[in-house]
Amino acid sequence: MRTIILASGSPRRRELLEQIGIPFQVMKSDAEEIITKSAPEEVVLELSAQKAEAVAEQVEEGVILGADTIVAIDGEILGKPAGREHAGRMLKQLQGRTHSVFTGVTLIGKQAGKKERRSFFRETKVQIHSMSEEEIEAYLDTGDAFDKAGSYGIQGPFAAYVDGIEGDYSNVVGLPVSAVYQALKEF
């Protein structure tokens, strides 16, 4: 089996790969994120490719896995919050509504001087219950909101406010593991 290199420092992505038993190494990408697209699915593909390419330049062989996740609502992309106030604004935007979570994945296979690349994305729709100001503040007090796209993690305390999803749960966590596994089989 070829070495799989996760081009991400995300603990959630590491946990998801470990959960399905994929052996991998971590080599965090230090690529500057440059966004030239506007459609959410194009943005995540662009960012995942930048991460994978940056790590691919540093290795001779292996399969490099780059990923990026964003939240989008009403055509607006919600990344990671800049602080508590920003996180609160995002949560107010999401509460009582349905939004989309997009994760882009880029796989780059390098072997014997050859390079192969495959990119795809997954979209999952997430319905959030209405939240009171007090509930939003209480969630922000947990500290869980501050390193996640859209200011929430579905796998943590915010699960109390998730009414339902349409699509892949692991995609919302940060990596559509079933789709990744199937794609890795092709390498």
Side-chain angles (χ1 to χ4, degrees), residues 2 29 52 117 119-120 128-129 142 167:
R2 292 165 65 185
S29 168
R117 178 173 144 174
S119 294
F120 61 91
I128 305 298
H129 283 288
T142 70

Side-chain angles (χ1 to χ4, degrees), residues 6-25:
L6 176 61
S8 171
S10 165
R12 290 164 293 282
R13 291 192 181 109
R14 287 195 302 262
E15 289 168 7
L16 287 166
L17 288 176
E18 288 167 356
Q19 177 184 332
I20 62 170
I22 293 180
F24 64 95
Q25 301 171 3

Side-chain angles (χ1 to χ4, degrees), residues 136-183:
I136 290 172
E137 290 301 318
Y139 175 66
L140 292 173
D141 287 344
T142 70
D144 190 58
F146 303 112
D147 67 338
K148 297 171 181 72
S151 299
Y152 76 90
I154 194 169
Q155 72 281 11
F158 195 78
Y161 306 107
V162 176
D163 190 32
I165 68 168
E166 181 183 322
D168 183 348
Y169 172 84
S170 66
N171 185 55
V172 183
V173 178
L175 193 67
V177 289
S178 177
V180 167
Y181 178 77
Q182 297 305 319

Side-chain angles (χ1 to χ4, degrees), residues 65-113:
L65 173 97
D68 195 80
T69 302
I70 60 170
V71 170
I73 190 165
D74 299 332
E76 181 182 352
I77 293 172
L78 307 179
K80 294 179 183 177
R84 184 182 179 99
E85 185 179 316
H86 187 214
R89 282 196 312 270
M90 282 193 226
L91 293 172
K92 287 175 188 167
Q93 237 179 314
L94 298 176
Q95 64 89 27
R97 303 186 58 210
T98 298
H99 63 276
S100 291
V101 176
F102 293 87
T103 299
V105 175
T106 297
L107 298 169
I108 298 175
K110 288 182 77 173
Q111 188 172 8

